[in-house]
């Protein structure tokens, strides 16, 4: 399988007056062509920052310190601003967070669509542009009339579908959907994710879905990455991660999911994630980890393959006995 | 009923109520000020060499102007005359008609204010948008911010006095006062127009600079706050050209609060222009009202203030009517698509 996106050792730091905040630290992952990749994590874990870094839209005081972001082999971080602007929408598109306000309130949908085309040197007449838009809207399940209205005349779910349609305008090879369902109700959430999935299949684009809803992730993604405090702590096929998590954080996350069959007390991750400005030494998860060892406090674990296609950053995998206890407890 | 017509109807009622209330205030307040308006007439007469039995004449003239009747009778008759379009006769410029005096002054004020307000609003908004958008990248242009802050906090009349001192007195580049040179015959010829423009430069500048500072600061902060909006980020993620995002996305959304600001400040602008006209002895409405107040010329005060209230209320009404055109969210069913 060829990689459409390679993120290598990405670091994004925010230089605030109170010190440096490592929002994304040493993150490495690949997304294959036509794949549905999920990025899970709590608020503030750095998952949206990764999305913005790929789009090169990190705002001051944030900065991409080092690393590589390769889209179809081309390092995006080496491009000029103007070259990068042309890659947006054409190469990589984004469906932003906050469905309610993602569209310009004083412009009709078709005008915003035409702006996207015009900015990428597409010379189309008004009628052609409208025709293209109507076709895109049909793919996300909206009527042609949606092209001619203002955003306030659409519901939240419809607005998010319009955003998905706009992201498809130039048939990008990668679409990043940053919590596209955060402001929507549960029924509409499913519909939007289904739309995204359908679009992904028709377009054969890769999609990165960012979110914290495990249910939606399981429904959508084929592979997921788990973020904690700016680090990618685990990555692998979605089935494996749900069945056999290899990082204690992922494990506790899975156990915190309510289940219909088991009526027992819900497990929660004790404590709160560390502030990104003041991260613990060693493994970032050690203050909350039930399996913490002396080594975890001093030494940062490496991110490596611990099972076929499943990667994790945890010292437990060096201790056969401890690793055994981790997997056994999950199996029970 | 069509909601837009209903909306306009409501604004219209509000406009009439505004005129009624403020005219009532303007009718009563000058009459509570101690002083004898008729003295002005006799001062004029004395100036041309007349000498008469003042006390008897004053009584005579008070009857002529109806000032001997109870105030509420005068009030009712004021509305009755106004309804017939009659603003009365000036006391201090007896026997000129108030309407004629105001009509001859109106073009000067209108010319001065319309031009300066439009220029400062447009220029201030555009410069503010560019500098606000560019932020740190704006470089030296960011010096506009402290300059605008100083200009905006300077009162019109102080700036007017400074301008007169520097550019009319110290370096006599521009004339000291008036709207055109003494001895010039008003007409549509180049010499007269150049003369009028030369006379208008300093008064216009004093109004322009102060309000420009305000429009600049207000638009700049609007743009800075809009930069964080989701739709701006989304437009950037769509790779839309920066210029297009600035004008089509940020600026157009800032235009509504900026227009509201214009509506609110209109009264302030008119009031400021009054003092500017006095300083430059510019023969506009403000100068007329100033003289009318000095000599307690009731009919002229009423007429002049009525004119200002109507124009401010009318401008506000026009801006209200224009909102739906700027912002589709204020549009109504039946007039704004489905």
């Amino acid at each position: 399988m060829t990689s459409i996106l390679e993120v290598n050792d990405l670091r994004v730091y925010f230089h605030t007056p109170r010190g440096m905040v490592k929002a994304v630290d040493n993150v490495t992952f690949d997304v294959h062509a036509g794949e549905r990749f999920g990025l899970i994590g709590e608020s503030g874990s750095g998952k949206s920052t990764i999305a913005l870094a790929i789009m090169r839209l990190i705002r001051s005081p944030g900065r991409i310190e080092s690393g590589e972001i390769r889209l179809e082999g081309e390092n995006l971080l080496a491009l000029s601003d103007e070259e990068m602007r042309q890659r947006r929408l054409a190469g990589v598109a984004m469906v932003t967070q906050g469905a309610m306000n993602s569209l310009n309130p004083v412009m009709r949908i078709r005008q915003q669509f035409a702006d996207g085309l015009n900015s990428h040197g597409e010379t189309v007449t008004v009628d052609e542009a409208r025709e293209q838009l109507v076709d895109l809207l049909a793919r996300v399940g909206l009527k042609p009339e949606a092209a001619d209205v203002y955003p306030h005349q659409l519901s939240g779910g419809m607005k998010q579908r319009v955003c998905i349609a706009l992201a498809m305008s130039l048939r990008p090879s990668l679409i990043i959907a940053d919590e596209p369902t955060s402001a929507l109700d549960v029924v509409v959430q499913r519909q939007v994710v289904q739309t995204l999935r359908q679009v992904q299949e028709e377009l054969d684009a890769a999609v990165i879905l960012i979110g914290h809803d495990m249910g939606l992730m399981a429904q959508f993604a084929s592979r997921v990455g788990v973020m904690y405090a700016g680090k990618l702590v685990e990555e692998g096929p979605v089935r494996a991660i749900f069945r056999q998590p290899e990082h204690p954080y992922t494990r506790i996350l899975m156990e915190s999911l309510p289940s219909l069959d088991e009526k027992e007390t819900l497990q929660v991750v004790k404590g709160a994630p560390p502030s990104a400005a003041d991260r613990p030494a060693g493994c970032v998860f050690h203050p909350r980890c039930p399996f913490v060892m002396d080594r975890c406090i001093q030494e940062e674990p490496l991110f490596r393959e611990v099972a076929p296609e499943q990667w994790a950053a945890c010292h437990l995998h060096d201790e056969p006995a401890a690793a055994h206890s981790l997997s056994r407890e999950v199996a029970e | 009923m069509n909601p837009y017509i209903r909306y306009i109807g409501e604004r219209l009622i509000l406009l009439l109520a505004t005129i009624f209330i403020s005219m009532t205030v303007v009718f009563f307040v000058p009459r509570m000020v101690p002083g004898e308006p008729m003295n002005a007439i006799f001062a004029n007469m004395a100036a041309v060499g007349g000498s008469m039995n003042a006390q008897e004449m004053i009584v005579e003239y008070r009857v002529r102007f109806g000032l001997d009747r109870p105030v509420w009778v005068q009030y009712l008759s004021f509305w009755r005359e106004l309804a017939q379009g009659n603003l009365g006769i000036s006391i201090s410029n007896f026997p000129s008609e108030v309407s004629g005096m105001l009509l001859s002054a109106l073009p000067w004020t209108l010319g001065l204010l319309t031009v300066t307000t439009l220029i400062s609003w447009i220029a201030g908004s555009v410069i503010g948008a560019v500098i606000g958008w560019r932020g740190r990248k704006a470089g030296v242009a960011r010096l506009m911010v402290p300059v605008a802050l100083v200009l905006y906090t300077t009162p019109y009349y102080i700036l007017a006095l400074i301008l007169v001192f520097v550019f009319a007195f110290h370096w006599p580049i521009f004339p000291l006062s008036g709207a055109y040179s003494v001895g010039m015959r008003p007409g549509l010829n180049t010499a007269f127009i150049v003369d009028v423009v030369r006379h208008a430069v300093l008064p216009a500048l004093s109004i322009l600079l102060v309000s420009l500072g305000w429009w600049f600061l207000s638009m700049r902060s609007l743009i800075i706050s809009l930069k964080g909006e989701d739709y701006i980020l989304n437009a950037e993620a769509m790779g839309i050209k920066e210029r297009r995002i600035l004008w089509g996305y940020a600026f157009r959304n800032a235009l509504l609060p900026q227009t509201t600001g214009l509506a609110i400040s209109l009264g302030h602008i008119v009031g400021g222009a009054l003092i500017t006209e006095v300083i430059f002895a510019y023969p506009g409405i403000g100068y007329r009202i100033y003289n009318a107040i000095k000599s307690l010329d009731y009919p002229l005060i009423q007429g002049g203030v009525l004119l200002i209230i109507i124009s401010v209320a009318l401008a506000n009404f026009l801006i209200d009517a224009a909102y739906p055109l700027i912002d589709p969210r204020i549009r109504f069913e039946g007039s704004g698509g489905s």
Side-chain angles (χ1 to χ4, degrees):
Chain A
M1 252 186 290
T2 52
S3 292
I4 192 94
L5 178 79
E6 294 165 55
V7 175
N8 289 325
D9 207 10
L10 179 70
R11 292 167 208 241
V12 183
Y13 295 173
F14 285 75
H15 301 265
T16 70
R18 283 183 300 161
M20 195 152 69
V21 177
K22 298 179 176 178
V24 172
D25 204 16
N26 289 60
V27 167
T28 300
F29 67 94
D30 285 10
V31 177
H32 304 150
E35 184 185 34
R36 294 187 299 272
F37 185 80
L39 212 49
I40 314 176
E42 293 169 67
S43 305
S45 60
K47 50 195 195 309
S48 293
T49 309
I50 289 183
L52 289 174
I54 296 170
M55 299 302 293
R56 264 185 55 188
L57 287 173
I58 300 279
R59 296 192 183 188
S60 175
R63 221 173 66 194
I64 299 176
E65 296 292 322
S66 62
E68 256 185 356
I69 299 172
R70 291 192 174 274
L71 182 71
E72 294 175 286
E74 182 182 48
N75 187 3
L76 296 181
L77 300 185
L79 297 178
S80 72
D81 287 350
E82 174 60 17
E83 284 167 338
M84 185 61 215
R85 184 187 68 69
Q86 286 169 3
R87 298 296 181 280
R88 296 188 192 119
L89 200 65
V92 49
M94 183 160 143
V95 179
T96 50
Q97 217 168 351
M100 290 308 168
N101 307 314
S102 288
L103 296 165
N104 183 354
V106 298
M107 231 183 235
R108 293 180 201 277
I109 306 299
R110 61 172 135 87
Q111 180 62 56
Q112 304 189 37
F113 172 72
D115 278 351
L117 294 190
N118 292 336
S119 294
H120 290 84
E122 302 268 315
T123 43
V124 286
T125 64
V126 175
D127 289 338
E128 282 168 0
R130 192 176 179 282
E131 213 170 285
Q132 284 184 31
L133 176 59
V134 166
D135 176 53
L136 290 173
L137 290 173
R139 284 165 184 251
V140 297
L142 289 176
K143 292 187 180 134
E145 290 83 67
D148 304 314
V149 302
Y150 289 96
H152 72 276
Q153 292 166 299
L154 300 170
S155 72
M158 287 160 96
K159 278 186 218 175
Q160 198 54 283
R161 283 153 189 260
V162 166
C163 287
I164 295 173
L166 290 179
M168 290 158 63
S169 355
L170 296 174
R171 302 186 70 93
S173 46
L174 174 67
I175 297 177
I176 304 171
D178 185 6
E179 303 205 32
T181 58
S182 58
L184 307 173
D185 68 67
V186 185
V187 176
V188 182
Q189 282 184 1
R190 303 272 149 183
Q191 289 170 355
V192 166
V193 169
Q194 266 159 21
T195 305
L196 206 57
R197 185 173 179 148
Q198 198 181 319
V199 161
Q200 181 266 334
E201 277 163 5
E202 282 176 36
L203 228 59
D204 201 28
V207 172
I208 300 179
L209 177 67
I210 294 173
H212 47 242
D213 185 327
M214 296 296 205
L216 284 181
M217 280 299 171
Q219 185 195 2
F220 180 81
S222 53
R223 220 151 50 87
V224 293
V226 181
M227 295 281 300
Y228 182 79
K231 296 242 173 218
L232 195 63
V233 292
E234 181 160 5
E235 189 227 286
V238 70
R239 284 176 171 279
I241 295 235
F242 271 72
R243 204 172 289 160
Q244 173 104 20
E246 295 291 351
H247 193 281
Y249 174 65
T250 321
R251 215 200 97 183
I252 301 173
L253 216 54
M254 295 302 158
E255 281 171 356
S256 68
L257 290 176
S259 152
L260 279 178
D261 328 311
E262 295 163 49
K263 290 178 189 158
E264 50 187 85
T265 322
L266 216 53
Q267 290 289 312
V268 292
V269 192
K270 290 188 180 66
S275 123
D278 178 28
R279 279 215 311 241
C283 171
V284 281
F285 190 58
H286 86 252
R288 302 169 78 187
C289 183
F291 306 104
V292 63
M293 303 177 292
D294 288 345
R295 191 179 167 198
C296 305
I297 298 167
Q298 284 126 27
E299 195 185 325
E300 207 181 314
L302 287 173
F303 189 62
R304 60 213 168 91
E305 197 162 13
V306 293
E309 286 184 51
Q310 197 169 352
W311 294 57
C314 181
H315 289 311
L316 281 177
H317 296 286
D318 292 339
E319 319 275 326
H324 180 65
S325 79
L326 173 64
S327 53
R328 200 189 59 216
E329 278 184 42
V330 171
E332 271 170 12
Chain B
M1 208 199 314
N2 183 332
Y4 187 68
I5 294 186
R6 207 188 135 138
Y7 168 82
I8 294 294
E10 283 169 7
R11 301 292 123 173
L12 219 56
I13 292 171
L14 211 63
L15 179 120
L16 292 176
T18 311
I19 293 174
F20 174 75
I21 294 171
S22 35
M23 281 323 291
T24 303
V25 172
V26 168
F27 181 87
F28 287 106
V29 170
R31 283 172 168 75
M32 294 191 289
V33 177
E36 174 54 63
M38 297 307 146
N39 284 340
I41 297 183
F42 297 105
N44 287 347
M45 285 181 175
V48 293
S51 74
M52 278 157 260
N53 187 342
Q55 211 48 49
E56 264 176 44
M57 289 294 281
I58 285 179
V59 173
E60 172 78 9
Y61 271 95
R62 284 187 74 91
V63 172
R64 274 190 160 200
F65 279 98
L67 295 177
D68 57 326
R69 297 173 298 165
V71 176
W72 65 270
V73 177
Q74 293 180 39
Y75 179 65
L76 290 181
S77 99
F78 159 72
W79 280 113
R80 198 171 50 236
E81 293 294 316
L82 191 63
Q84 294 166 18
N86 188 0
L87 288 175
I89 288 170
S90 163
I91 299 175
S92 59
N93 269 335
F94 187 79
S96 311
E97 284 209 24
V98 168
S99 50
M101 291 176 68
L102 291 177
L103 272 181
S104 68
L106 191 61
W108 298 111
T109 299
L110 226 49
L112 193 66
L113 277 192
T114 320
V115 173
T116 49
T117 305
L118 280 181
I119 291 180
S120 74
W121 192 73
I122 293 170
S125 300
V126 168
I127 301 170
V130 171
I131 291 181
W133 180 261
R134 305 216 62 183
R136 285 164 191 278
K137 284 183 287 175
V140 193
R142 289 164 75 206
L143 279 175
M144 255 310 273
V145 180
V147 170
L149 212 56
V150 169
L151 284 176
Y152 147 65
T153 45
T154 312
Y156 289 89
Y157 47 92
I158 300 283
L159 189 63
L161 286 176
I162 295 173
L163 287 173
V164 166
F165 179 77
V166 176
F167 296 107
F169 180 74
H170 193 73
W171 293 302
I173 306 170
F174 295 107
L176 268 170
S177 65
Y180 52 90
S181 304
V182 181
M184 269 295 217
R185 275 180 73 93
L188 271 179
N189 53 63
T190 331
F192 181 70
I193 291 170
V194 168
D195 192 54
V196 165
V197 171
R198 257 172 56 79
H199 278 80
V201 167
L202 290 187
L205 219 53
S206 76
I207 301 172
L208 192 95
L209 289 177
V210 171
S211 47
L212 184 91
W214 168 245
W215 298 128
F216 167 81
L217 290 172
S218 129
M219 181 51 100
R220 176 177 164 271
S221 63
L222 279 170
I223 292 283
I224 287 174
S225 67
L226 281 179
K227 269 207 264 185
E229 288 289 327
D230 291 335
Y231 53 81
I232 301 288
L233 178 71
N234 198 49
E236 285 182 325
M238 280 178 71
I240 293 172
K241 287 184 178 154
E242 191 179 357
R243 185 181 289 252
R244 177 72 186 147
I245 298 179
L246 167 55
W247 299 114
Y249 290 70
F251 187 74
R252 273 211 53 194
N253 277 288
L255 218 47
L256 189 76
Q258 186 79 345
T259 310
T260 310
L262 179 63
I264 293 170
S265 68
L266 276 174
H268 182 67
I269 295 171
V270 172
L274 189 146
I275 301 169
T276 306
E277 284 185 9
V278 171
I279 291 174
F280 289 96
Y282 204 78
I285 302 285
Y287 191 49
R288 282 263 195 276
I289 292 178
Y290 169 77
N291 284 328
I293 293 173
K294 267 203 319 194
S295 55
L296 280 184
D297 187 343
Y298 303 145
L300 191 54
I301 297 176
Q302 287 156 14
V305 174
L306 178 70
L307 198 66
I308 288 183
I309 290 167
I310 289 180
S311 47
V312 171
L314 205 66
N316 270 298
F317 171 75
L318 289 178
I319 287 173
D320 272 351
Y323 275 157
L325 307 178
I326 302 174
D327 190 340
R329 282 167 295 187
I330 309 179
R331 245 168 255 179
F332 307 89
E333 276 128 59
S335 66
S338 78

